[in-house]
Amino acid sequence: MGVVSTIMGAFGFGIGVPTGLVIGYYLFIYYQPTHVETPKVRPLVERDTKSLEQMLPEIPMWVKNPDHDRVDWLNKFIELMWPYLDKAICKTVKTIAEPIIKEQIPKYKIDAVEFDTLTLGNLPPTFQGMKVYSTDDKELIMEPSFKWAANPNIHVAVKAFGLRPTIQVVDLQVFASPRITLKPLVPSFPCFCQILVSLMEKPHVDFGLKLLGADLMSIPGLYRFVQELIKTQVANMYLWPKTLVVPVLDPAKAMKRPVGMLNVKVLRAMKLKKKDILGASDPYVKLKLTEDKLPSKKTVVKHKNLNPEWNEEFHLVVKDPESQALEIIVYDWEQVGKHDKMGMNVIPLKEITPEEPKVMTLELLKNMDPNDTQNEKSRGQIMIELVYKPFTDDQIPAESKDGEVIEKAPEGTPEGGGLLVVIIHQAEDLEGKHHTNPSVRMLFRGEEKRTKPVKKNRDPRWDEEFSFTLEEPPTNDRMHFEVVSTSSRMGLIHPKETLGYVDIQLGDVVSNKRINGKYNLIDSRNGKLQVELQWRTSS
């Protein structure tokens, strides 16, 4: 009977399995359930909140908050740079952490804490959006929102009591929205002195710890304790208004406050070369300190003179005598077209002894390239007198808002009067009906002066300086500024048009010594003109 039952069981298994497979295949292919309906396609706006959350578990910050900007370009940049950023960040972490660890471990009777392995993995952080604030102060404020679900490989070895266990950090997650402030903004690279970092809310930090292959976070109560400890410690240090300050530049050096005055007297030039067709030249001299954004100082033009005498004195504010140099360029004035450069030379200020007058005769060169054979040709000479006078602590002049110093008027200025200096910096959003080739026309006490025209530019920049010597302060006067555009084509139709004008009262510049502002142009839709006015007296 045992043999018969075995044979019958094998026969039933051999028949039953193929028969079941055939029946199952038939039902799968040919049987259609009647309760299945075709799903309806509905637009997202008709979905309820719960279904939207299921479809979009993580809504980007720029969608939830319209004041946040998309920064896809930044995420792409970090993705491409991450292999190199990973190494750089880890190297910096080691450099910063190792001295701190060595200082702290004696308190806990630990021999050493070492990084066996330190990499942040191949998953970079992603920025969900960024909000940028604009303020009237010289600062830039950003609030990026980033998330980082990393796969780091961090092994930390702890030496204590003759043992060396290794702790591994895994599954790191960091969600934070810091406020990053760059301030103050300065004209020296990288253009800010400090980085201030504050947290606007407690960050989310999650990670796992493994010791000898066991997950330490699985110990009851330890995970919650570690999470709260991290959030509390970070909040105590960096939650707004507390900040982490990272110094980048020395503010005193970056702002480059004035340290002295360079008095330059242009005496004469000798044996200048003929530039004009008729065998003469009309020379004048421009003076400028390197690393200085102020316009160049100019002498008067000496017409048809190859051995001109000027005897004109200028005062230049020095901010860094170790790096700055006096640049001297002689030009040939042309009534039409570009002025020709006759020669130049440069005097490093570190070669000048303070408080010691020095008369120098310099050869005029084509440029300052020592390997240029063109500099071997004689271009004439120029004679100047220099005196560098450093400021003492009680002589440092008061600075204006943007760090520039108001100079004194030159010798010969009438007593009770002064020198009115006008600097036309730039204009914005100019718009002409037929052409936009702007220049600025100034009218003051019957005298007219103009800047050079800038072709086809709605946001021109001139940075041209003009001066008026006055017998008395212009307390009750005003100056008329008119932006005009001249057609670049010859013709009688629309040769000129006005792009806007403004009248500036001069009482403020007499009281404050200097004003620098942007003025809305009348008869212009959005045009603005930036004008700087200085009132310099001999006292």
Side-chain angles (χ1 to χ4, degrees), residues 256 288-294 319-320 323-325:
K256 290 187 177 179
K288 183 177 178 63
L289 285 176
T290 56
E291 303 178 18
D292 195 344
K293 295 184 179 181
L294 291 177
K319 296 182 179 180
D320 189 354
S323 63
Q324 286 185 291

Side-chain angles (χ1 to χ4, degrees), residues 137-140 182-194 248-257 293 319 399 401-403:
D137 298 329
K138 294 184 177 180
E139 62 182 6
L140 176 63
L182 309 179
K183 63 181 296 187
L185 302 180
V186 295
S188 300
F189 189 81
C191 301
F192 54 87
C193 294
Q194 293 179 333
V248 178
L249 295 176
D250 184 355
K253 294 182 179 179
M255 297 300 292
K256 290 187 177 179
R257 296 185 60 190
K293 295 184 179 181
K319 296 182 179 180
E399 290 190 355
K401 185 177 180 181
D402 56 359

Side-chain angles (χ1 to χ4, degrees), residues 328-376:
I328 307 163
I329 306 178
V330 182
Y331 286 94
D332 177 35
W333 179 85
E334 297 290 345
Q335 188 171 1
V336 179
K338 185 178 180 181
H339 298 182
D340 294 329
K341 181 178 174 181
M342 303 181 71
M344 68 170 298
N345 213 318
V346 172
I347 304 174
L349 298 190
K350 61 183 179 181
E351 297 180 1
I352 302 175
T353 304
E355 302 290 352
E356 183 178 306
K358 187 173 185 180
V359 179
M360 305 179 68
T361 301
L362 306 173
E363 295 289 338
L364 294 176
L365 308 174
K366 180 181 180 181
N367 53 52
M368 298 311 297
D369 184 359
N371 299 321
D372 193 340
T373 56
Q374 294 290 328
N375 287 328
E376 297 177 2

Side-chain angles (χ1 to χ4, degrees), residues 411-431:
E411 295 181 5
T413 303
E415 289 189 17
L419 189 70
L420 178 63
V421 178
V422 183
I423 304 175
I424 308 296
H425 285 294
Q426 62 182 346
E428 299 176 2
D429 296 327
L430 300 179
E431 187 175 358

Side-chain angles (χ1 to χ4, degrees), residues 432-447:
K433 294 181 179 179
H434 305 95
H435 44 76
T436 306
N437 305 312
S439 62
V440 180
R441 172 173 170 261
M442 290 166 285
L443 290 175
F444 178 65
R445 292 185 177 179
E447 187 175 357

